[in-house]
Amino acid sequence: MAPIDGLVARAESWARSESENDTGGHDWWHTYRVRDLALRIADREGADRLEVELAAILHDIDDYKKSSSESSGPKAVYLWLLQEGGSETLAKNVSEIVAGVSFKGAGVRDRRLSLEGACVRDADRLDALGAIGIARAFAYGGTVGRALHDPDYVPVPHSSVAEYRAGRPTTVGHFHEKLLLLHDRMETSTGQRIAAGRDAFMRDFLARFLREWGGVDGEE
Ligand code: ADP
Ligand code: NI
């Protein structure tokens, strides 16, 4: 796609202003990292850079977690791109990616996306893994009032979006309901490679967390 003067910068200021007050791991720096990762993957996979960059920047606009609607974000992005001089194709392609990025439950299949969409979805998921993913999960949990962990909480393999959205898991529960499943859902080979190390780190973290919780660390 041919670049449009200033469009990426305008998308950036829109996304920045929407995420200004976030303290739950969805601040501007999340978007910034997703854009970087998505472009890094796109370059390896030969995807369209403009579509990837715009979708990465706009992927959390009016997200379900803020708007309680699955369609409001993609629709806002579609209309905004048209209004900013983007073509119908660009607006449609980018808003389809935005609509398909989110995880919707362990038992819910991911929507099929274009190569560009796969780059953005992998990048968003990579930012939910590893050291940063751990930090974000506990920040999100704290912001929405979840416990760190409760040994009695049994993780649920949700089979519908509605069930997944209605859940109120502990943050350790969220690792089992989503974060530990993501490395298997990576679509690009670049994403898979990066996910492997981040997933391993997260598993070490959880194992240690539970050792400390159970009072058996330092004895092994
Ligand atoms: P998605 O659209 O797939 O939810 P996002 O980038 O919008 O992806 O946000 C996902 C991040 O939000 C997770 O990686 C995690 O850090 C945090 N998060 C979402 N739900 C929970 C939860 N129930 N407990 C802890 N963290 C959560
Ligand atoms: Ni995101």
Side-chain angles (χ1 to χ4, degrees):
M1 293 263 172
I4 299 166
D5 261 358
L7 182 60
V8 168
R10 291 198 296 282
E12 224 179 272
S13 33
W14 185 26
R16 218 181 242 268
S17 69
E18 291 271 312
S19 57
E20 223 160 34
N21 300 318
D22 183 277
T23 55
H26 293 80
D27 54 10
W28 164 249
W29 291 107
H30 162 62
T31 302
Y32 181 96
R33 291 187 303 268
V34 171
R35 188 245 305 260
D36 264 9
L37 275 166
L39 286 174
R40 183 170 144 202
I41 299 172
D43 288 341
R44 304 251 169 101
E45 309 283 330
D48 184 281
R49 287 190 116 244
L50 180 63
E51 263 185 43
V52 167
E53 186 164 22
L54 286 169
I57 294 173
L58 301 174
H59 82 275
D60 271 337
I61 290 280
D62 259 350
D63 176 68
Y64 181 89
K65 289 184 276 321
K66 297 171 222 159
S67 67
S68 298
S69 152
E70 301 284 348
S71 59
S72 132
K75 198 167 167 196
V77 165
Y78 175 80
L79 294 173
W80 185 87
L81 283 168
L82 287 182
Q83 176 202 306
E84 292 292 326
S87 67
E88 170 71 32
T89 311
L90 180 72
K92 186 167 154 287
N93 291 355
V94 171
S95 78
E96 266 169 22
I97 299 174
V98 174
V101 163
S102 269
F103 180 85
K104 297 187 167 66
V108 182
R109 272 224 206 132
D110 289 323
R111 191 186 288 209
R112 260 200 82 66
L113 291 179
S114 57
L115 171 62
E116 288 70 25
C119 297
V120 176
R121 186 157 61 191
D122 280 7
D124 189 36
R125 291 176 174 185
L126 286 170
D127 205 55
L129 302 182
I132 287 177
I134 294 168
R136 289 183 66 225
F138 287 101
Y140 182 89
T143 299
V144 299
R146 307 281 166 76
L148 302 181
H149 175 52
D150 175 350
D152 294 331
Y153 180 77
V154 181
V156 186
H158 302 104
S159 53
S160 75
V161 197
E163 249 182 70
Y164 177 67
R165 298 292 187 208
R168 294 192 48 78
T170 62
T171 299
V172 168
H174 182 68
F175 279 79
H176 294 281
E177 291 177 0
K178 173 182 176 187
L179 306 181
L180 295 173
L181 312 176
L182 294 179
H183 76 291
D184 260 353
R185 294 204 186 198
M186 289 288 143
E187 287 174 279
T188 65
S189 52
T190 312
Q192 276 157 8
R193 271 199 307 279
I194 306 172
R198 295 189 182 202
D199 179 76
F201 181 81
M202 232 163 38
R203 286 173 198 273
D204 284 351
F205 167 83
L206 279 177
R208 185 173 177 103
F209 183 104
L210 294 177
R211 281 203 307 278
E212 292 181 11
W213 189 280
V216 294
D217 66 304
E219 313 285 339
E220 63 266 37

